[in-house]
Amino acid sequence: RTFIATGDRRSSAGFFCMALIGTLVLLGALGTGCGGLCGADGAWYGARLLLAALALATIGAASLRPLGLLASGAGRLFLCVAAGQLVLHLHVYARSALQAVLPAPPLGFLELGIIVVAALAYLWLTRPDPRPQLTSRAFAWPAIELALLAAVCIVVADRELPRLVMLSSDPDTHAYLARQVELLGAIPWHGEASFGYPGGTAALGFIWAKLAQIDVRDSVTALPLLQSF
């Protein structure tokens, strides 16, 4: 609290580093961290999960800004990630419905990437004017939120990824269905390929796998812990 109260805009990197180290140490002390130093796999897969989360946050921020829910300098990172998930989830369902009745290219990384870039361009074009009256707190909390998200991604990845064999039949089913969405480029609505089973987790696993460029087994394994945080 003292660091935030006495910091300035140039201290964002300091806020990030202190929060990241503090969170990793705290999780380790509670027995829910990396179990020591986080390994190379944890850092590699954690970075991919973090990039996917930031892509979702970009989409979420572009969706929330017209609603006036992004006050300048306010911490809204986790809200943006949740909103971005919702928007892309709806997009997967809408595209699947369209593909079920009309010829359409399969949904993949390129289309999701275009959405992310478009959201980023919108945020840049509609960015608010700089306000010199913003306090250090306005710059501290976004950096701290980013550090918390990074720590969670690293710890989840270090403990769970890469995942070659699913731990039970439930995640195995969801990973299989997410793989079908990946192969078909949509949720199948009819015919022999239709799931006969809810496809929500499959769509979410597909989204994270594509944005993070990881296997659907990895995304489905990481999602329960990521969503709980």
Side-chain angles (χ1 to χ4, degrees):
R1 291 180 61 182
T2 302
F3 189 57
I4 293 173
T6 59
D8 57 29
R9 184 171 183 174
R10 294 170 296 178
S11 300
S12 294
F15 296 140
F16 175 82
C17 292
M18 289 187 66
L20 178 62
I21 295 171
T23 303
L24 290 175
V25 170
L26 177 60
L27 290 175
L30 295 174
T32 58
C34 292
L37 295 177
C38 299
D41 281 344
W44 174 246
Y45 283 94
R48 292 184 171 212
L49 291 174
L50 178 61
L51 287 176
L54 293 178
L56 289 166
T58 300
I59 297 172
S63 305
L64 295 174
R65 176 164 287 176
L67 303 178
L69 297 179
L70 290 182
S72 179
R76 296 288 188 274
L77 179 59
F78 292 100
L79 174 63
C80 289
V81 174
Q85 286 187 129
L86 176 60
V87 170
L88 278 194
H89 210 250
L90 293 174
H91 180 75
V92 171
Y93 269 82
R95 278 283 275 105
S96 300
L98 177 65
Q99 195 163 316
V101 296
L102 295 173
L107 177 61
F109 174 76
L110 178 60
E111 184 171 332
L112 298 182
I114 291 174
I115 296 174
V116 174
V117 171
L120 189 61
Y122 170 77
L123 290 174
W124 176 259
L125 293 174
T126 60
R127 64 190 186 280
D129 295 330
R131 297 180 181 179
Q133 70 271 23
L134 289 177
T135 64
S136 60
R137 183 183 297 268
F139 300 101
W141 287 117
I144 291 174
E145 282 189 324
L146 180 61
L148 293 174
L149 180 60
V152 168
C153 289
I154 291 172
V155 169
V156 169
D158 190 80
R159 294 177 70 96
E160 301 291 344
L161 305 182
R163 174 65 58 188
L164 299 179
V165 179
M166 307 306 287
L167 294 177
S168 70
S169 59
D170 281 344
D172 189 60
T173 298
H174 292 303
Y176 169 77
L177 297 178
R179 177 60 175 156
Q180 301 314 301
V181 177
E182 188 175 48
L183 291 173
L184 298 171
I187 300 173
W189 278 52
H190 50 69
E192 294 182 356
S194 61
F195 292 167
Y197 192 88
T201 304
L204 200 58
F206 163 79
I207 290 169
W208 277 84
K210 283 301 178 185
L211 291 177
Q213 289 293 284
I214 57 178
D215 193 280
V216 291
R217 291 170 293 184
D218 295 328
S219 64
V220 169
T221 298
L223 277 177
L225 287 171
L226 289 177
Q227 299 302 326
S228 66
F229 277 106

